[in-house]
Amino acid sequence: MARGLPAVWSSILAAPFVVGGLYVYLTDPSEFVTRQVGLPMIGFGLAVIALGFYIHFVAAPEPPKMRERESVIDTRHPSQRAALAKAILGFVSLLVAAYLLLFTFTPFVYPTVAFILGLYLFTTGLHRYWTNTLTTYFVTNRRLIKEYRFISLEKQEIPFDKVRGVRERKSVWETLVGLGNVSVSTGGGRELKIVIKNIYSPTEFADEIRNYV
Amino acid sequence: MITLHRRDVLKLTGATLVTAGVMPSRVSAQPENEFGSWPQAGYDAANTGYNPDAVGPRDDIAQAWEFGTDADASGHWAPHTEPMVFSDFVILPALDGYYYALEAATGAEIARVETEAGAVSRPAIGDRAVFAETDVDVIRAFEIEGDAERWSYRHPLGDGPYRLTYADGRLYLPGVIALNTDDGSEAWVADTGAGWFGVAVADETVFAAVEAGSEVYALDAGDGSERWVTEIDGRIEELVAPVVGSGRVVVQSESSHLHALDTVTGELAWTFDPRPSTRNASTPAIHDGTLYYGHSAPADPDTISEDAGTLFAIDLGTGEERWSIPTRGGIGASPVVADGVVYVGTFGDEESRNPSPRLIAVAADSGEVLWQSEMAFDVVALSIAGERLYAMVSDGVLEVFGPAASTTPVAERSDDTAESGARNVRSPMATVDTGLASSRSGDSDRGQRGFFSNDGSDPAFLTNMFNLTVLGFLLSLLGLVYQMLGGD
């Protein structure tokens, strides 16, 4: 089972689409927009709920197997704060789009722009939320492991004796919400890199890794 | 109001309506009947196009029945005649030269009669008789109750076909000639040369315009004496009869301008310029101090646009526009009004972005489009009686619609009509994606809602919000799943 409650939160995030779609379809609030616009809204909301349940009950990865004399020192999960902020901004933009579309006489280009922007922010926020839910970083005394599974398992690991660089980075967005990224990479021709995204206290985490390098 | 009984319809025995069986031999007078009445062109003698007893389809529309004739109106010089309805019967003067008598309930043909005059003339019903031009320049009166022809009258000036008008025991013919309907005798003759496409009668006054001239006459209905004559600026449109209401008589000039004259003095009250000016054969309708005018843009392929037609609501007292809506196609059927709803029919134009003709219902007070229905052929004439809307389309078929509750909804009939070879394919009764929106006076930003602007110049696919919404959500969902499959 995935960490957190993705089924519950996905349902909460999707509920406005289902409710809004039903409202549009049943009440036909605008003379300029067909009530059938409510149907794709309902469909989108139901799809989000279905994916949320899938992630909750099916998709989460299992913890990695430890080798001999290996133990887990730290386990990190990406924070959901950035994802949540993005999704909320997307919601606001989608609400603006719905208002402009259904309750004003402005040319359709304005609600369309707000719709595209809102949908982009919401879906990227939702994607980040689900991805974070399914991603776990394990720091053992020998290696750094990243596991992700949606349908198939994706596992990356870097033995600490191969690490040639540990880098912290905070984007403006992450600085605003108090998060950061730590990039751990090997050198050489076929560089392997694990980016630990959206974690609290990235400096502390980077130092922890540096101690083992 | 009279009620006809199927069993009373006479068999075809001759050239007249009665002997042809178009008129039933026995009727009983009853105050009400299920199918209402539309007794003459323009409904009443004032040509208002307003039926106070009708309650047409307001919220939804469904086809009740259809009846086909051989009257293809494409390119015909004269506008179609709307069907007359009285009691349980429909009389359909068709351009194929026949009068058809149909059962109002089912559309089943009872009888037909070929007329030498051609059926572009307009019959009238009143004084328990039907008046029709059955032979060239010959008008006959047929008893509704009984088998007899009451009288016949040969128009001394000729040059039919005629639009007949009945009012208060008189039948009015072009010229103007008033006949006593009891015996067909001339009550009076006014040598005006006016009224060739119909007169209007109201307040004991006969109003007649000189076709392709400029004079509008007001004649005393009692003796035919001239009350006033006014010359308007421009030539009068020959296919549009005067309409009267709220102290105004309104005539239309060839430039499509409307000229409203005071019914008492004949003074010009106002002129309405719909822009762009063009010849326009749509007769306005009048109800409750408002004139409803369907206007078509010039039939110029370089200028025809998404808004080839406009329905105006005009204050009869002042001539000010109350609201207007673009009808997309040009006006094919003059507006009719019943129970607070204005109905209008449009042409399609394959060269434009609106190839589909439409039937449109609009709230009379606000200009809100209540519903619209796409038709396979141009809508060329409308009448409304009882709960039903009668729409003549250009391939000679009479389409009859009623509210969905009492008939089969159009959407549900699509399979049936396809199997039966019916010609019309209609969209669901949604007004939201039609781009039809009212433009109210004092609210100039309202009009057709477009994508980049509301001037109606955007491609239709950009204004279909359903498609754009489906596309947006689908792409988002696919993108979401694709990204999830790709990992972090």
Side-chain angles (χ1 to χ4, degrees):
Chain A
M1 187 178 289
R3 73 187 176 92
L5 297 167
V8 175
W9 286 106
S10 297
S11 299
I12 291 171
L13 289 171
F17 291 93
V18 177
V19 173
L22 284 171
Y23 168 75
V24 172
Y25 187 73
L26 295 177
T27 66
D28 196 9
S30 171
E31 61 182 307
F32 302 108
V33 181
T34 175
R35 64 197 302 169
Q36 290 157 337
V37 163
L39 297 178
M41 292 174 66
I42 296 170
F44 181 78
L46 292 177
V48 168
I49 292 172
L51 280 169
F53 271 82
Y54 171 79
I55 288 165
H56 191 121
F57 293 107
V58 181
E62 297 297 325
K65 287 184 179 175
M66 292 295 101
R67 297 170 185 167
E68 193 176 344
R69 292 192 296 277
E70 184 181 28
S71 59
V72 174
I73 296 166
D74 193 4
T75 302
R76 291 284 186 119
H77 298 287
S79 165
Q80 302 288 26
R81 193 182 294 179
L84 188 64
K86 238 179 186 177
I88 289 173
L89 274 180
F91 256 134
V92 172
S93 187
L94 285 170
L95 282 175
V96 170
Y99 173 76
L100 292 174
L101 182 68
L102 299 173
F103 303 110
T104 74
F105 193 63
T106 58
F108 287 125
V109 65
Y110 299 110
T112 301
V113 168
F115 174 67
I116 291 171
L117 179 67
L119 214 47
Y120 170 77
L121 289 173
F122 180 78
T123 51
T124 52
L126 191 63
H127 167 246
R128 175 53 53 198
Y129 168 72
W130 283 342
T131 305
N132 291 348
T133 301
L134 297 172
T135 302
T136 307
Y137 303 101
F138 298 94
V139 181
T140 72
N141 53 355
R142 291 187 173 189
R143 52 189 172 147
L144 172 65
I145 304 166
K146 174 191 174 185
E147 282 195 349
Y148 169 83
R149 192 178 82 170
F150 179 57
I151 292 178
S152 57
L153 178 66
E154 181 185 322
K155 183 175 177 182
Q156 288 177 292
E157 63 174 77
I158 298 179
F160 288 134
D161 57 359
K162 304 283 185 187
V163 172
R164 294 294 179 268
V166 178
R167 191 172 65 174
E168 302 166 50
R169 173 175 285 184
K170 290 183 179 180
S171 65
V172 175
W173 183 261
E174 287 164 332
T175 305
L176 285 173
V177 293
L179 302 173
N181 297 338
V182 175
S183 174
V184 180
S185 59
T186 63
R190 298 181 65 182
E191 185 184 56
L192 179 63
K193 185 162 73 175
I194 294 178
V195 181
I196 299 100
K197 292 181 177 176
N198 300 145
I199 57 168
Y200 294 110
S201 309
T203 304
E204 181 187 318
F205 186 73
D207 290 342
E208 195 172 325
I209 293 173
R210 286 187 187 107
N211 289 335
Y212 286 94
V213 174
Chain B
M1 205 166 284
I2 48 181
T3 297
L4 306 176
H5 299 287
R6 177 80 166 83
R7 63 180 181 275
D8 294 325
V9 177
L10 294 179
K11 295 179 180 178
L12 291 166
T13 55
T16 67
L17 285 175
V18 169
T19 52
V22 171
M23 292 306 305
S25 62
R26 293 173 58 194
V27 295
S28 60
Q30 291 183 3
E32 299 292 341
N33 66 74
E34 183 181 356
F35 299 102
S37 72
W38 185 275
Q40 58 186 325
Y43 179 74
D44 53 21
N47 296 322
T48 62
Y50 166 65
N51 188 340
D53 300 320
V55 181
R58 183 183 182 89
D59 301 318
D60 204 349
I61 184 176
Q63 188 178 50
W65 50 264
E66 64 180 27
F67 178 80
T69 71
D70 295 326
D72 187 347
S74 304
H76 200 283
W77 67 271
H80 260 287
T81 302
E82 67 264 38
M84 311 298 160
V85 183
F86 65 105
S87 189
D88 300 331
F89 290 81
V90 176
I91 290 185
L92 176 63
L95 290 180
D96 60 1
Y98 287 92
Y99 287 103
Y100 294 88
L102 313 173
E103 280 189 355
T106 63
E109 180 178 335
I110 299 166
R112 69 174 74 181
V113 58
E114 187 171 10
T115 63
E116 288 185 28
V120 292
S121 60
R122 265 74 167 165
I125 299 167
D127 194 18
R128 308 183 70 77
V130 174
F131 310 100
E133 182 188 8
T134 55
D135 304 309
V136 176
D137 300 331
V138 176
I139 293 95
R140 298 178 194 275
F142 306 106
E143 299 285 356
I144 290 178
E145 189 173 357
D147 301 346
E149 174 182 316
R150 188 185 292 181
W151 49 258
S152 67
Y153 177 85
R154 179 174 291 277
H155 197 298
L157 301 178
D159 204 21
Y162 307 120
R163 171 176 165 140
L164 308 177
T165 302
Y166 170 82
D168 302 325
R170 296 271 171 83
L171 185 72
Y172 297 92
L173 313 180
V176 178
I177 299 172
L179 303 180
N180 293 308
T181 54
D182 53 356
D183 59 4
S185 61
E186 291 179 350
W188 50 261
V189 176
D191 187 14
T192 61
W196 286 100
F197 205 73
V199 302
V201 185
D203 300 329
E204 299 180 345
T205 306
V206 179
F207 302 94
V210 177
E211 181 181 288
S214 299
E215 300 86 2
V216 180
Y217 285 89
L219 308 172
D220 187 296
D223 58 12
S225 60
E226 182 180 304
R227 288 184 169 170
W228 52 258
V229 57
T230 297
E231 281 194 38
I232 66 160
D233 183 17
R235 284 155 52 98
I236 290 168
E237 174 57 56
E238 62 182 343
L239 297 176
V240 179
V243 295
V244 181
S246 301
R248 301 278 186 261
V249 54
V250 180
V251 296
Q252 189 180 139
S253 61
E254 288 183 352
S255 60
S256 74
H257 287 57
L258 297 177
H259 305 263
L261 311 177
D262 187 284
T263 54
V264 177
T265 65
E267 292 179 356
L268 180 68
W270 49 262
T271 300
F272 181 80
D273 179 4
R275 294 181 187 274
S277 297
T278 179
R279 291 198 67 177
N280 190 24
S282 169
T283 303
I286 284 178
H287 173 54
D288 197 20
T290 303
L291 181 136
Y292 302 95
Y293 177 42
H295 175 259
S296 301
D300 180 346
D302 294 329
T303 61
I304 197 157
S305 69
E306 199 160 344
D307 300 331
T310 306
L311 178 64
F312 292 97
I314 301 163
D315 187 300
L316 259 177
T318 64
E320 295 291 319
E321 178 185 321
R322 286 183 170 163
W323 52 257
S324 64
I325 63 160
T327 56
R328 294 195 168 185
I331 302 298
S334 301
V336 297
V337 186
D339 192 33
V341 181
V342 184
Y343 302 89
V344 69
T346 70
F347 290 127
D349 188 332
E350 293 178 356
E351 301 297 321
S352 75
R353 286 191 291 270
N354 294 292
S356 298
R358 292 162 192 266
L359 257 181
I360 304 169
V362 182
D365 56 351
S366 64
E368 176 192 1
V369 177
L370 301 175
W371 53 259
Q372 61 86 33
S373 178
E374 290 187 359
M375 307 286 283
F377 292 87
D378 296 340
V379 185
V380 293
L382 289 176
S383 59
I384 185 164
E387 291 186 332
R388 288 183 172 175
L389 182 65
Y390 298 80
M392 197 68 196
V393 297
S394 59
D395 68 336
V397 174
L398 174 63
E399 301 270 356
V400 182
F401 301 98
S406 64
T407 48
T408 306
V410 168
E412 294 177 17
R413 282 180 58 89
S414 57
D415 292 339
D416 298 339
T417 52
E419 287 173 4
S420 64
R423 307 135 305 94
N424 280 345
V425 179
R426 298 180 181 82
S427 62
M429 296 304 107
T431 62
V432 286
D433 57 356
T434 64
L436 304 180
S438 65
S439 170
R440 293 174 177 80
S441 298
D443 192 9
S444 58
D445 64 334
R446 291 182 72 81
Q448 182 169 332
R449 193 175 182 186
F451 190 79
F452 292 109
S453 66
N454 291 341
D455 61 5
S457 60
D458 298 322
F461 74 91
L462 279 178
T463 60
N464 190 326
M465 281 295 104
F466 175 71
N467 289 347
L468 291 179
T469 312
V470 168
L471 188 67
F473 279 120
L474 198 60
L475 286 177
S476 296
L477 211 53
L478 291 175
L480 197 55
V481 173
Y482 178 77
Q483 290 290 324
M484 293 298 293
L485 288 172
D488 188 11

